[in-house]
Amino acid sequence: MLLGCTALVTLPQGLVAQDAGMEPDGSYRLSPIIIEAGTEVDNDAESVVASELWTGGKVATSILDTPASVSVVTQKEMEQRNADTVEDVLEYSSGIITDYYGTDDRNDYYLVRGFQASTYRDGLTLGTMRGVREDPFAYERLEVIKGGNSTLFGTSDPGGTVNFVTKSPRFESFGELFGSYGTNDQAEIGFDFGDVVNPSETLAYRVVGKVRDAELEYDDSRDDSQFFLGAVTWAPTSYTELTFTADYLKRDGTPNSGGYPLDRDYDRDEFFGEPSFNDQDVERLTLSAEFRHEFQNGLNLRANLRYSDLEDDFGYVYLTDNDARTGSVVDRDYFGGESTAEEWIGNAIVQYDASFGSVDSSTLAGVEFRSASTTSSSFYGTYTPIDVDDPVYSGPPTGYSPYSVLENDYRTRSLFAQQNFSFSDRIVATVGVRQDWLDIEQEDLSSGSRVETEDDFSETSYRAALTYKITDETSAYASYVESVAPPAIGTEPERGEQYEIGVKYQPAGLNALFTASAYELTKTNVVVPVVLDSGVIERQTIGESRVRGAELEAKAELTENFGLVGAYAYQESEFVRGNVRGTEVDGNEFATVPNHLASVWLTYELPGNGAHGDIDLGLGARYVGEYFYGVTNDTGTSPEQYYVDASFGYDLAENTSLQVNVSNLLDRQYVVGQGTAAYYNNGRTVTATLRRSW
């Protein structure tokens, strides 16, 4: 399929795209897409190479013709590497650094092109749900679009967008059941199955679930979770489809003690928090509906609606060390809070495709709304020190009261449009615009009396791109995109703009995709977290920052038995202007942004011969260059980091396999972050998984 840039919808297998007439061979022409009945979409369970991008109707498109740097991690790649967290999923993608807070397990931490990236689910922002650690088993794939994308997605961070594509029903019978056990008493069971319900094959369902009972590598810890999803799809005709999805996520974990003392290396199994206080409980319910209809005349309609409800409570005692400390007694503070969020979000998107001689046109327009309410209560205070050579726990803090009690309401209304023109199936021009109206209301009860404030924003973002199809296998592009980060009351929204050029190659006869890009990404009104002398972390505006870089990425199944996933990125970060706590940082590099990132994952299959089943071997290596720990560039730098990962799979019988994965095979220990404590990377883990599929 030849898809025209980023405004063309790919239809599921069995659907036929039409415009005014039928071609002689029985196919139908829709803009620059040729789709014949029976064309298959990406099968994420069978390949590490994705050829299409899916963003909830904003839109599905050929990656080869998308004028942006894109990284897609499929279900097969996640299974090969046993990627159990979002950080694990992204660590082999170009231009993304992960896990820079190491064993701080409250959130997933990653930067894309040196900046934060906004998270989306099926093309709709996760908004107030974005701080939750997602379970990769719930998703078909993760898609990363590098750079600002506010024109397509609304308010978003400049680094890019991470889109989680939810598992949905398929009109076939399938299933998977697995159990695993590994390091730190990590035990999991999971299932994923579905089928067609009725003889007319208009109703299908899917059920997904995973239960985890585990500890972390430090003492007095746990890392338990449960996830369940149920979905039903009704397709009364070949042109209409309606899907309902309900899912539930619960996490019960133990946040680490803010890291380890600064004076020397410590064993990762040591714990300097409070076993009876360090705790995090997350519970989220999500209900979703998706509708799409093709009118058979070039007009398509898609609508999405989602409701989410979240509770997130945590508390932890953590170290507040400093380089001037003498002796083995280290100060500690405590921090915690309770929060809730309730959110409705939805959109409606209309697309019209037509042809005018050698010019194909695709016009997309949509409306979007979001309504969210949050509450938060935060507490903080100093706590009893601890002797790190002979730790004695003091019990949970008592008598504290919240220093911040807030209630917030967010209302967003958006209009967006995008126009694509394809000239002679070789040149594709894209322009887009989006207008977001945001209203924020806040009630502050911190002082005991209610203080009400409000603010409203009207933000416009643009994008423009030109794609040239050099051959049917090779495309080159140049693009300009903008981003507007989610604003806060009394502050200007952070804005970003990116200039990018790139080339993509998808050779005929080989399941592979090779990409290269160069970019300049600038962000103004920049806000960064800064550790104050008191140990409190405060967000401060420092002005303008910029990253210039280049990226290479390759995903290929070079032969029937040999596969490759490789990536390299060069990043040159700089604070153009600004200061932190009275210190100018002009010309400084970003914190936690290395100049060089590289990775490679190789797989090889040894076919069975009757005496034994197939054997699958995987070997990966990752390199992370050194980077500064803080924006002032005077608090130290990280060491260069080298990691080796491996996997071994054996087919015990048809559709039954045993897989062993080892992460950080050499058990390297690095200080990956540093503030009032040192953060270590995760140690070696070994996991064995028994999987049965049908």
Side-chain angles (χ1 to χ4, degrees), residues 329-332 383-387 392 394:
V329 177
V330 181
D331 291 336
R332 297 189 298 174
Y383 196 54
T384 56
I386 192 169
D387 188 335
V392 176
S394 305

Side-chain angles (χ1 to χ4, degrees), residues 110-123:
Y110 49 85
L111 298 176
V112 180
R113 290 186 169 175
F115 292 101
Q116 295 290 333
S118 294
T119 50
Y120 295 79
R121 177 172 174 177
D122 303 325

Side-chain angles (χ1 to χ4, degrees), residues 20-21 38 48 99 105 110 155 159 186 272 276 317 326 333 336 371 411-412 458 547 555 603 606 616 638 667:
V48 300
D99 203 30
D105 303 293
Y110 49 85
T155 53
Q186 174 187 312
F272 302 116
S276 57
V317 170
T326 59
D333 290 343
S371 177
R411 302 288 182 271
T412 303
S458 178
V547 176
K555 296 198 175 186
T603 56
L606 296 171
D616 295 297
S638 72
D667 200 25

Side-chain angles (χ1 to χ4, degrees), residues 151-203:
T151 306
L152 287 177
F153 294 96
T155 53
S156 58
D157 293 305
T161 57
V162 178
N163 184 49
F164 301 91
V165 179
T166 306
K167 289 181 176 178
S168 59
R170 307 200 304 255
F171 283 86
E172 61 179 346
S173 178
F174 66 94
E176 174 189 342
L177 178 67
F178 78 87
S180 68
Y181 185 80
T183 306
N184 304 318
D185 291 328
Q186 174 187 312
E188 292 183 348
I189 58 171
F191 53 84
D192 177 7
F193 61 89
D195 204 346
V196 179
V197 175
N198 56 346
S200 60
E201 297 188 348
T202 60
L203 193 66

